[in-house]
Amino acid sequence: MLRGERAPTPVLDRLAEAALVVSVAFPLLLMGGGMILVGLLAVGPRRKDSPELWICLPAGLAILGVFVGIGYWQWWRLPRLTVTRFAFDGAEVVIEAPARGCVTRPVGALRSLTESRGRRGLLGWWVRFDGAGWVFLHGATPNAWQLVDQLRPHVEVAR
């Protein structure tokens, strides 16, 4: 039986990562907030000298919206879909992820196995089962490579 369990990320590492991202993104966040403020002031009832500055409002909202979307995906959605532990006995796969709970599926229910690549190479794999949806198997999870190697032939047959 093949098993793997991903070690949780230490709190200090997550805080350091968040501080780094905030320090890099802070100027853009300030610019987006300033553009929203200028746009709201231009739309106000007393501003007759520069009404064309209302265009700053949607631009500022777009800048902040991009950061909100990236933050949602990176710190909420992806960690909830990441596999925390798995077990494979050749016929069934047991996967545990925070958003899906503990799910047991036969290998025949495997529909897709897609690599996820980043700037530094392979990050992991997106795995989709019938009735369980997508989960992300991180490349740093112990025995993840062996699991993917054993699941690949079953994906080829399913297509």
Side-chain angles (χ1 to χ4, degrees), residues 15-77:
L15 287 174
E17 177 185 324
L20 178 66
V21 169
V22 167
S23 67
V24 170
F26 193 67
L28 286 171
L29 294 172
L30 278 177
M31 185 174 64
M35 290 176 78
I36 289 174
L37 179 64
V38 168
L40 287 174
L41 289 175
V43 173
R46 297 183 185 164
R47 297 298 277 189
K48 303 295 184 215
D49 55 346
S50 57
E52 65 275 356
L53 288 178
W54 69 269
I55 196 70
C56 292
L57 182 61
L61 288 172
I63 289 172
L64 291 183
V66 166
F67 280 103
V68 167
I70 290 172
Y72 165 75
W73 179 259
Q74 188 67 29
W75 287 292
W76 178 256
R77 188 70 179 149

CSV table of all heavy atoms in Angstrom, one decimal, residues 15-77:
chain,number,residue,atom,x,y,z
A,15,LEU,N,3.8,33.3,7.7
A,15,LEU,CA,3.8,34.8,8.0
A,15,LEU,C,4.9,35.5,7.2
A,15,LEU,O,4.7,36.6,6.8
A,15,LEU,CB,4.0,35.0,9.5
A,15,LEU,CG,2.8,34.7,10.4
A,15,LEU,CD1,3.2,34.8,11.9
A,15,LEU,CD2,1.7,35.6,10.1
A,16,ALA,N,6.1,34.8,7.1
A,16,ALA,CA,7.2,35.4,6.3
A,16,ALA,C,6.8,35.5,4.9
A,16,ALA,O,7.1,36.5,4.2
A,16,ALA,CB,8.4,34.5,6.5
A,17,GLU,N,6.1,34.5,4.3
A,17,GLU,CA,5.6,34.6,2.9
A,17,GLU,C,4.6,35.7,2.8
A,17,GLU,O,4.7,36.5,1.8
A,17,GLU,CB,5.0,33.3,2.5
A,17,GLU,CG,4.4,33.2,1.2
A,17,GLU,CD,3.7,31.9,0.8
A,17,GLU,OE1,4.2,30.9,1.3
A,17,GLU,OE2,2.7,32.0,0.1
A,18,ALA,N,3.7,35.8,3.7
A,18,ALA,CA,2.7,36.9,3.6
A,18,ALA,C,3.3,38.3,3.7
A,18,ALA,O,3.0,39.2,3.0
A,18,ALA,CB,1.6,36.7,4.7
A,19,ALA,N,4.3,38.4,4.6
A,19,ALA,CA,5.0,39.7,4.8
A,19,ALA,C,5.8,40.1,3.5
A,19,ALA,O,5.8,41.3,3.1
A,19,ALA,CB,6.0,39.7,5.9
A,20,LEU,N,6.4,39.1,2.8
A,20,LEU,CA,7.1,39.4,1.6
A,20,LEU,C,6.1,39.8,0.5
A,20,LEU,O,6.4,40.8,-0.2
A,20,LEU,CB,7.9,38.1,1.2
A,20,LEU,CG,8.6,38.2,-0.2
A,20,LEU,CD1,9.8,39.2,0.0
A,20,LEU,CD2,9.1,36.9,-0.6
A,21,VAL,N,5.0,39.1,0.4
A,21,VAL,CA,4.0,39.5,-0.7
A,21,VAL,C,3.5,40.9,-0.4
A,21,VAL,O,3.3,41.7,-1.3
A,21,VAL,CB,2.9,38.4,-0.7
A,21,VAL,CG1,1.8,38.9,-1.6
A,21,VAL,CG2,3.5,37.1,-1.3
A,22,VAL,N,3.2,41.2,0.9
A,22,VAL,CA,2.6,42.5,1.2
A,22,VAL,C,3.6,43.6,0.9
A,22,VAL,O,3.3,44.7,0.4
A,22,VAL,CB,2.1,42.5,2.7
A,22,VAL,CG1,1.9,43.9,3.1
A,22,VAL,CG2,0.9,41.7,2.8
A,23,SER,N,4.9,43.4,1.2
A,23,SER,CA,5.9,44.4,1.0
A,23,SER,C,6.1,44.7,-0.5
A,23,SER,O,6.4,45.8,-0.9
A,23,SER,CB,7.2,44.0,1.7
A,23,SER,OG,7.8,42.9,1.0
A,24,VAL,N,6.0,43.7,-1.3
A,24,VAL,CA,6.1,43.9,-2.7
A,24,VAL,C,4.9,44.5,-3.3
A,24,VAL,O,4.9,45.4,-4.2
A,24,VAL,CB,6.4,42.5,-3.5
A,24,VAL,CG1,6.3,42.6,-4.9
A,24,VAL,CG2,7.8,42.0,-3.1
A,25,ALA,N,3.7,44.1,-2.8
A,25,ALA,CA,2.4,44.6,-3.4
A,25,ALA,C,2.0,45.9,-2.8
A,25,ALA,O,1.0,46.5,-3.3
A,25,ALA,CB,1.4,43.5,-3.2
A,26,PHE,N,2.5,46.3,-1.7
A,26,PHE,CA,2.1,47.5,-1.0
A,26,PHE,C,2.0,48.8,-1.8
A,26,PHE,O,1.0,49.5,-1.8
A,26,PHE,CB,2.9,47.8,0.3
A,26,PHE,CG,2.3,48.7,1.2
A,26,PHE,CD1,1.2,48.4,1.9
A,26,PHE,CD2,2.9,50.0,1.4
A,26,PHE,CE1,0.6,49.4,2.8
A,26,PHE,CE2,2.4,50.9,2.3
A,26,PHE,CZ,1.2,50.6,3.0
A,27,PRO,N,3.0,49.1,-2.7
A,27,PRO,CA,2.8,50.3,-3.5
A,27,PRO,C,1.6,50.2,-4.5
A,27,PRO,O,0.9,51.2,-4.7
A,27,PRO,CB,4.1,50.3,-4.3
A,27,PRO,CG,5.1,49.5,-3.5
A,27,PRO,CD,4.3,48.5,-2.8
A,28,LEU,N,1.4,49.0,-5.0
A,28,LEU,CA,0.2,48.9,-5.9
A,28,LEU,C,-1.1,49.0,-5.2
A,28,LEU,O,-2.1,49.5,-5.7
A,28,LEU,CB,0.3,47.6,-6.7
A,28,LEU,CG,1.3,47.6,-7.8
A,28,LEU,CD1,1.5,46.2,-8.4
A,28,LEU,CD2,1.0,48.5,-8.9
A,29,LEU,N,-1.1,48.4,-4.0
A,29,LEU,CA,-2.3,48.5,-3.1
A,29,LEU,C,-2.6,50.0,-2.8
A,29,LEU,O,-3.7,50.4,-2.8
A,29,LEU,CB,-2.2,47.7,-1.9
A,29,LEU,CG,-2.1,46.2,-2.1
A,29,LEU,CD1,-1.8,45.4,-0.8
A,29,LEU,CD2,-3.4,45.7,-2.7
A,30,LEU,N,-1.5,50.7,-2.4
A,30,LEU,CA,-1.7,52.2,-2.1
A,30,LEU,C,-2.2,52.9,-3.4
A,30,LEU,O,-3.0,53.8,-3.3
A,30,LEU,CB,-0.4,52.8,-1.6
A,30,LEU,CG,0.0,52.6,-0.2
A,30,LEU,CD1,1.3,53.1,0.1
A,30,LEU,CD2,-1.1,53.2,0.7
A,31,MET,N,-1.6,52.6,-4.5
A,31,MET,CA,-2.0,53.3,-5.7
A,31,MET,C,-3.5,52.9,-6.1
A,31,MET,O,-4.3,53.8,-6.4
A,31,MET,CB,-1.2,52.8,-6.9
A,31,MET,CG,-1.5,53.5,-8.2
A,31,MET,SD,-0.3,53.1,-9.5
A,31,MET,CE,-0.6,51.4,-9.8
A,32,GLY,N,-3.9,51.7,-5.9
A,32,GLY,CA,-5.3,51.4,-6.1
A,32,GLY,C,-6.3,52.1,-5.2
A,32,GLY,O,-7.3,52.6,-5.6
A,33,GLY,N,-5.9,52.1,-3.9
A,33,GLY,CA,-6.7,52.9,-2.9
A,33,GLY,C,-6.7,54.3,-3.2
A,33,GLY,O,-7.8,55.0,-3.1
A,34,GLY,N,-5.6,54.9,-3.6
A,34,GLY,CA,-5.6,56.4,-4.0
A,34,GLY,C,-6.5,56.6,-5.2
A,34,GLY,O,-7.2,57.7,-5.3
A,35,MET,N,-6.4,55.7,-6.2
A,35,MET,CA,-7.3,55.9,-7.3
A,35,MET,C,-8.7,55.8,-7.0
A,35,MET,O,-9.6,56.6,-7.6
A,35,MET,CB,-6.9,54.9,-8.4
A,35,MET,CG,-5.5,55.1,-9.0
A,35,MET,SD,-5.0,53.9,-10.2
A,35,MET,CE,-6.0,54.4,-11.6
A,36,ILE,N,-9.1,54.9,-6.1
A,36,ILE,CA,-10.5,54.9,-5.7
A,36,ILE,C,-10.9,56.2,-5.0
A,36,ILE,O,-12.0,56.7,-5.2
A,36,ILE,CB,-10.7,53.6,-4.8
A,36,ILE,CG1,-10.6,52.4,-5.6
A,36,ILE,CG2,-12.1,53.7,-4.1
A,36,ILE,CD1,-10.7,51.1,-4.8
A,37,LEU,N,-10.0,56.7,-4.1
A,37,LEU,CA,-10.3,57.9,-3.4
A,37,LEU,C,-10.5,59.1,-4.4
A,37,LEU,O,-11.5,59.9,-4.3
A,37,LEU,CB,-9.2,58.2,-2.4
A,37,LEU,CG,-9.4,59.5,-1.6
A,37,LEU,CD1,-10.6,59.4,-0.7
A,37,LEU,CD2,-8.2,59.8,-0.8
A,38,VAL,N,-9.6,59.2,-5.4
A,38,VAL,CA,-9.7,60.3,-6.3
A,38,VAL,C,-11.0,60.1,-7.2
A,38,VAL,O,-11.7,61.1,-7.4
A,38,VAL,CB,-8.5,60.3,-7.3
A,38,VAL,CG1,-8.7,61.2,-8.5
A,38,VAL,CG2,-7.2,60.8,-6.5
A,39,GLY,N,-11.3,58.9,-7.6
A,39,GLY,CA,-12.5,58.7,-8.3
A,39,GLY,C,-13.8,59.0,-7.6
A,39,GLY,O,-14.7,59.6,-8.1
A,40,LEU,N,-13.8,58.7,-6.3
A,40,LEU,CA,-15.0,59.0,-5.5
A,40,LEU,C,-15.1,60.5,-5.3
A,40,LEU,O,-16.2,61.0,-5.3
A,40,LEU,CB,-14.9,58.3,-4.1
A,40,LEU,CG,-15.1,56.8,-4.1
A,40,LEU,CD1,-14.9,56.2,-2.8
A,40,LEU,CD2,-16.6,56.5,-4.6
A,41,LEU,N,-14.0,61.2,-5.1
A,41,LEU,CA,-14.0,62.6,-4.9
A,41,LEU,C,-14.5,63.3,-6.2
A,41,LEU,O,-15.2,64.3,-6.2
A,41,LEU,CB,-12.6,63.2,-4.5
A,41,LEU,CG,-12.2,62.8,-3.1
A,41,LEU,CD1,-10.8,63.3,-2.8
A,41,LEU,CD2,-13.2,63.4,-2.1
A,42,ALA,N,-14.1,62.8,-7.4
A,42,ALA,CA,-14.5,63.4,-8.6
A,42,ALA,C,-16.0,63.2,-8.9
A,42,ALA,O,-16.7,64.0,-9.6
A,42,ALA,CB,-13.7,62.8,-9.8
A,43,VAL,N,-16.6,62.1,-8.4
A,43,VAL,CA,-18.0,61.8,-8.6
A,43,VAL,C,-18.8,62.6,-7.6
A,43,VAL,O,-20.0,62.8,-7.8
A,43,VAL,CB,-18.2,60.3,-8.4
A,43,VAL,CG1,-19.7,59.9,-8.4
A,43,VAL,CG2,-17.5,59.5,-9.5
A,44,GLY,N,-18.2,63.0,-6.5
A,44,GLY,CA,-19.0,63.8,-5.5
A,44,GLY,C,-19.7,65.0,-6.0
A,44,GLY,O,-19.4,65.5,-7.1
A,45,PRO,N,-20.7,65.5,-5.3
A,45,PRO,CA,-21.6,66.6,-5.7
A,45,PRO,C,-20.9,67.9,-5.8
A,45,PRO,O,-21.3,68.8,-6.6
A,45,PRO,CB,-22.7,66.6,-4.7
A,45,PRO,CG,-22.2,66.0,-3.5
A,45,PRO,CD,-21.1,65.0,-4.0
A,46,ARG,N,-19.8,68.1,-5.0
A,46,ARG,CA,-19.2,69.5,-5.0
A,46,ARG,C,-18.1,69.6,-6.0
A,46,ARG,O,-17.5,70.7,-6.1
A,46,ARG,CB,-18.7,69.7,-3.6
A,46,ARG,CG,-19.7,69.8,-2.5
A,46,ARG,CD,-19.2,70.1,-1.2
A,46,ARG,NE,-20.2,70.0,-0.2
A,46,ARG,CZ,-20.0,70.0,1.1
A,46,ARG,NH1,-18.7,70.0,1.5
A,46,ARG,NH2,-21.0,69.9,1.9
A,47,ARG,N,-17.6,68.6,-6.7
A,47,ARG,CA,-16.5,68.7,-7.5
A,47,ARG,C,-16.9,69.0,-9.0
A,47,ARG,O,-17.4,68.1,-9.7
A,47,ARG,CB,-15.7,67.3,-7.5
A,47,ARG,CG,-15.1,66.9,-6.2
A,47,ARG,CD,-14.2,67.9,-5.7
A,47,ARG,NE,-12.9,67.7,-6.4
A,47,ARG,CZ,-11.8,68.2,-6.0
A,47,ARG,NH1,-11.8,69.1,-5.1
A,47,ARG,NH2,-10.7,68.0,-6.6
A,48,LYS,N,-16.8,70.2,-9.3
A,48,LYS,CA,-17.1,70.7,-10.7
A,48,LYS,C,-15.9,71.0,-11.5
A,48,LYS,O,-15.9,71.2,-12.7
A,48,LYS,CB,-18.0,71.9,-10.6
A,48,LYS,CG,-19.3,71.7,-9.8
A,48,LYS,CD,-20.2,70.7,-10.5
A,48,LYS,CE,-21.5,70.7,-9.7
A,48,LYS,NZ,-22.0,69.4,-9.6
A,49,ASP,N,-14.7,71.1,-10.9
A,49,ASP,CA,-13.5,71.5,-11.6
A,49,ASP,C,-12.8,70.4,-12.4
A,49,ASP,O,-12.2,70.6,-13.4
A,49,ASP,CB,-12.5,72.1,-10.6
A,49,ASP,CG,-12.1,71.1,-9.4
A,49,ASP,OD1,-12.9,70.2,-9.3
A,49,ASP,OD2,-11.2,71.4,-8.7
A,50,SER,N,-12.9,69.1,-12.0
A,50,SER,CA,-12.3,68.0,-12.7
A,50,SER,C,-13.2,66.8,-12.7
A,50,SER,O,-12.8,65.8,-12.1
A,50,SER,CB,-10.9,67.7,-12.1
A,50,SER,OG,-11.1,67.4,-10.7
A,51,PRO,N,-14.3,66.8,-13.3
A,51,PRO,CA,-15.2,65.6,-13.3
A,51,PRO,C,-14.7,64.4,-14.1
A,51,PRO,O,-15.2,63.3,-13.9
A,51,PRO,CB,-16.5,66.2,-13.9
A,51,PRO,CG,-16.1,67.3,-14.8
A,51,PRO,CD,-14.9,67.9,-14.1
A,52,GLU,N,-13.7,64.7,-15.0
A,52,GLU,CA,-13.2,63.6,-15.8
A,52,GLU,C,-12.3,62.6,-15.0
A,52,GLU,O,-12.0,61.5,-15.5
A,52,GLU,CB,-12.4,64.1,-17.0
A,52,GLU,CG,-11.2,64.8,-16.7
A,52,GLU,CD,-11.4,66.3,-16.4
A,52,GLU,OE1,-12.5,66.8,-16.5
A,52,GLU,OE2,-10.4,67.0,-16.0
A,53,LEU,N,-12.0,62.9,-13.8
A,53,LEU,CA,-11.2,62.0,-12.9
A,53,LEU,C,-12.0,60.8,-12.4
A,53,LEU,O,-11.5,60.0,-11.7
A,53,LEU,CB,-10.6,62.8,-11.8
A,53,LEU,CG,-9.4,63.7,-12.2
A,53,LEU,CD1,-8.9,64.5,-11.0
A,53,LEU,CD2,-8.3,62.9,-12.8
A,54,TRP,N,-13.3,60.7,-12.7
A,54,TRP,CA,-14.1,59.6,-12.3
A,54,TRP,C,-13.5,58.3,-12.8
A,54,TRP,O,-13.8,57.2,-12.3
A,54,TRP,CB,-15.6,59.7,-12.8
A,54,TRP,CG,-15.7,59.6,-14.2
A,54,TRP,CD1,-15.7,60.6,-15.2
A,54,TRP,CD2,-15.9,58.4,-15.0
A,54,TRP,NE1,-15.8,60.1,-16.4
A,54,TRP,CE2,-15.9,58.8,-16.4
A,54,TRP,CE3,-16.0,57.1,-14.6
A,54,TRP,CZ2,-16.1,57.8,-17.4
A,54,TRP,CZ3,-16.1,56.1,-15.6
A,54,TRP,CH2,-16.2,56.5,-17.0
A,55,ILE,N,-12.8,58.4,-13.9
A,55,ILE,CA,-12.2,57.2,-14.6
A,55,ILE,C,-11.2,56.5,-13.6
A,55,ILE,O,-10.9,55.3,-13.8
A,55,ILE,CB,-11.5,57.6,-15.9
A,55,ILE,CG1,-11.2,56.3,-16.8
A,55,ILE,CG2,-10.2,58.3,-15.7
A,55,ILE,CD1,-12.5,55.7,-17.3
A,56,CYS,N,-10.7,57.2,-12.6
A,56,CYS,CA,-9.8,56.6,-11.6
A,56,CYS,C,-10.6,55.5,-10.8
A,56,CYS,O,-9.9,54.6,-10.3
A,56,CYS,CB,-9.2,57.6,-10.7
A,56,CYS,SG,-8.1,58.7,-11.6
A,57,LEU,N,-11.9,55.7,-10.6
A,57,LEU,CA,-12.6,54.8,-9.7
A,57,LEU,C,-12.6,53.3,-10.3
A,57,LEU,O,-12.2,52.4,-9.5
A,57,LEU,CB,-14.0,55.3,-9.5
A,57,LEU,CG,-14.9,54.5,-8.6
A,57,LEU,CD1,-14.4,54.4,-7.2
A,57,LEU,CD2,-16.3,55.1,-8.6
A,58,PRO,N,-13.0,53.1,-11.5
A,58,PRO,CA,-13.0,51.7,-12.0
A,58,PRO,C,-11.6,51.1,-12.1
A,58,PRO,O,-11.4,49.9,-11.9
A,58,PRO,CB,-13.7,51.7,-13.3
A,58,PRO,CG,-13.9,53.1,-13.7
A,58,PRO,CD,-13.7,54.0,-12.5
A,59,ALA,N,-10.6,52.0,-12.4
A,59,ALA,CA,-9.2,51.5,-12.5
A,59,ALA,C,-8.7,51.1,-11.1
A,59,ALA,O,-8.1,50.0,-11.0
A,59,ALA,CB,-8.3,52.6,-13.1
A,60,GLY,N,-9.0,51.9,-10.1
A,60,GLY,CA,-8.6,51.5,-8.7
A,60,GLY,C,-9.3,50.2,-8.3
A,60,GLY,O,-8.7,49.4,-7.6
A,61,LEU,N,-10.6,50.1,-8.6
A,61,LEU,CA,-11.3,48.9,-8.2
A,61,LEU,C,-10.8,47.7,-8.9
A,61,LEU,O,-10.7,46.6,-8.3
A,61,LEU,CB,-12.8,49.1,-8.5
A,61,LEU,CG,-13.6,50.0,-7.6
A,61,LEU,CD1,-15.0,50.2,-8.2
A,61,LEU,CD2,-13.6,49.5,-6.2
A,62,ALA,N,-10.3,47.8,-10.2
A,62,ALA,CA,-9.8,46.7,-10.9
A,62,ALA,C,-8.4,46.3,-10.3
A,62,ALA,O,-8.2,45.1,-10.1
A,62,ALA,CB,-9.6,47.1,-12.4
A,63,ILE,N,-7.6,47.3,-9.9
A,63,ILE,CA,-6.3,46.9,-9.3
A,63,ILE,C,-6.5,46.2,-8.0
A,63,ILE,O,-5.9,45.1,-7.8
A,63,ILE,CB,-5.5,48.2,-9.1
A,63,ILE,CG1,-5.0,48.8,-10.4
A,63,ILE,CG2,-4.3,47.9,-8.1
A,63,ILE,CD1,-4.3,50.1,-10.3
A,64,LEU,N,-7.4,46.7,-7.1
A,64,LEU,CA,-7.6,46.0,-5.9
A,64,LEU,C,-8.4,44.7,-6.1
A,64,LEU,O,-8.1,43.7,-5.3
A,64,LEU,CB,-8.4,46.9,-4.9
A,64,LEU,CG,-7.7,48.1,-4.4
A,64,LEU,CD1,-8.5,48.9,-3.4
A,64,LEU,CD2,-6.4,47.7,-3.8
A,65,GLY,N,-9.2,44.6,-7.1
A,65,GLY,CA,-9.9,43.3,-7.4
A,65,GLY,C,-8.9,42.2,-7.8
A,65,GLY,O,-9.1,41.1,-7.4
A,66,VAL,N,-7.9,42.6,-8.5
A,66,VAL,CA,-6.9,41.6,-8.9
A,66,VAL,C,-6.2,41.0,-7.7
A,66,VAL,O,-6.0,39.8,-7.6
A,66,VAL,CB,-5.9,42.2,-9.9
A,66,VAL,CG1,-4.7,41.3,-10.1
A,66,VAL,CG2,-6.6,42.4,-11.3
A,67,PHE,N,-5.8,41.9,-6.8
A,67,PHE,CA,-5.2,41.5,-5.6
A,67,PHE,C,-6.1,40.6,-4.7
A,67,PHE,O,-5.6,39.7,-4.1
A,67,PHE,CB,-4.6,42.6,-4.8
A,67,PHE,CG,-3.3,43.1,-5.4
A,67,PHE,CD1,-3.2,44.3,-6.2
A,67,PHE,CD2,-2.1,42.4,-5.2
A,67,PHE,CE1,-2.1,44.7,-6.7
A,67,PHE,CE2,-0.9,42.8,-5.8
A,67,PHE,CZ,-0.9,44.0,-6.5
A,68,VAL,N,-7.3,41.0,-4.6
A,68,VAL,CA,-8.3,40.2,-3.8
A,68,VAL,C,-8.5,38.8,-4.4
A,68,VAL,O,-8.5,37.8,-3.7
A,68,VAL,CB,-9.6,41.0,-3.7
A,68,VAL,CG1,-10.7,40.0,-3.2
A,68,VAL,CG2,-9.5,42.2,-2.8
A,69,GLY,N,-8.6,38.8,-5.8
A,69,GLY,CA,-8.7,37.5,-6.4
A,69,GLY,C,-7.5,36.6,-6.2
A,69,GLY,O,-7.6,35.4,-6.0
A,70,ILE,N,-6.3,37.1,-6.4
A,70,ILE,CA,-5.1,36.4,-6.2
A,70,ILE,C,-5.0,35.9,-4.8
A,70,ILE,O,-4.6,34.7,-4.5
A,70,ILE,CB,-3.9,37.2,-6.7
A,70,ILE,CG1,-3.8,37.3,-8.2
A,70,ILE,CG2,-2.6,36.5,-6.2
A,70,ILE,CD1,-2.8,38.3,-8.7
A,71,GLY,N,-5.3,36.8,-3.8
A,71,GLY,CA,-5.2,36.4,-2.4
A,71,GLY,C,-6.2,35.3,-2.1
A,71,GLY,O,-5.9,34.4,-1.3
A,72,TYR,N,-7.4,35.4,-2.6
A,72,TYR,CA,-8.4,34.3,-2.4
A,72,TYR,C,-7.9,33.0,-2.9
A,72,TYR,O,-8.0,32.0,-2.2
A,72,TYR,CB,-9.7,34.7,-3.1
A,72,TYR,CG,-10.7,33.6,-3.2
A,72,TYR,CD1,-11.4,33.1,-2.0
A,72,TYR,CD2,-10.9,32.9,-4.4
A,72,TYR,CE1,-12.3,32.0,-2.1
A,72,TYR,CE2,-11.8,31.8,-4.5
A,72,TYR,CZ,-12.4,31.4,-3.4
A,72,TYR,OH,-13.3,30.3,-3.5
A,73,TRP,N,-7.4,33.0,-4.1
A,73,TRP,CA,-6.9,31.7,-4.7
A,73,TRP,C,-5.7,31.2,-3.9
A,73,TRP,O,-5.7,30.0,-3.6
A,73,TRP,CB,-6.6,31.9,-6.2
A,73,TRP,CG,-6.1,30.6,-6.8
A,73,TRP,CD1,-4.8,30.3,-7.0
A,73,TRP,CD2,-6.9,29.5,-7.1
A,73,TRP,NE1,-4.8,29.0,-7.6
A,73,TRP,CE2,-6.1,28.5,-7.6
A,73,TRP,CE3,-8.3,29.3,-7.1
A,73,TRP,CZ2,-6.5,27.3,-8.1
A,73,TRP,CZ3,-8.7,28.0,-7.5
A,73,TRP,CH2,-7.9,27.1,-8.0
A,74,GLN,N,-4.8,32.0,-3.6
A,74,GLN,CA,-3.5,31.6,-3.1
A,74,GLN,C,-3.6,31.2,-1.6
A,74,GLN,O,-2.9,30.2,-1.2
A,74,GLN,CB,-2.4,32.7,-3.2
A,74,GLN,CG,-1.0,32.3,-2.9
A,74,GLN,CD,-0.5,31.2,-3.8
A,74,GLN,OE1,-0.8,31.2,-5.0
A,74,GLN,NE2,0.4,30.4,-3.3
A,75,TRP,N,-4.4,31.9,-0.8
A,75,TRP,CA,-4.4,31.6,0.6
A,75,TRP,C,-5.7,31.0,1.1
A,75,TRP,O,-5.7,30.7,2.3
A,75,TRP,CB,-4.1,32.9,1.4
A,75,TRP,CG,-2.7,33.3,1.2
A,75,TRP,CD1,-1.6,32.6,1.7
A,75,TRP,CD2,-2.1,34.4,0.5
A,75,TRP,NE1,-0.4,33.2,1.4
A,75,TRP,CE2,-0.7,34.3,0.6
A,75,TRP,CE3,-2.7,35.4,-0.2
A,75,TRP,CZ2,0.1,35.2,0.0
A,75,TRP,CZ3,-1.8,36.3,-0.8
A,75,TRP,CH2,-0.5,36.2,-0.6
A,76,TRP,N,-6.7,30.8,0.3
A,76,TRP,CA,-7.9,30.2,0.8
A,76,TRP,C,-8.3,29.0,-0.1
A,76,TRP,O,-8.4,27.9,0.4
A,76,TRP,CB,-9.1,31.2,0.8
A,76,TRP,CG,-10.3,30.6,1.2
A,76,TRP,CD1,-11.4,30.2,0.4
A,76,TRP,CD2,-10.7,30.2,2.6
A,76,TRP,NE1,-12.4,29.6,1.2
A,76,TRP,CE2,-12.0,29.6,2.5
A,76,TRP,CE3,-10.1,30.2,3.8
A,76,TRP,CZ2,-12.6,29.1,3.6
A,76,TRP,CZ3,-10.7,29.7,4.9
A,76,TRP,CH2,-12.0,29.2,4.8
A,77,ARG,N,-8.4,29.2,-1.4
A,77,ARG,CA,-9.0,28.1,-2.2
A,77,ARG,C,-7.9,27.0,-2.4
A,77,ARG,O,-8.3,25.8,-2.3
A,77,ARG,CB,-9.4,28.7,-3.6
A,77,ARG,CG,-10.1,27.7,-4.4
A,77,ARG,CD,-11.5,27.4,-3.9
A,77,ARG,NE,-12.2,26.5,-4.7
A,77,ARG,CZ,-13.0,25.6,-4.3
A,77,ARG,NH1,-13.3,25.5,-3.1
A,77,ARG,NH2,-13.6,24.8,-5.2
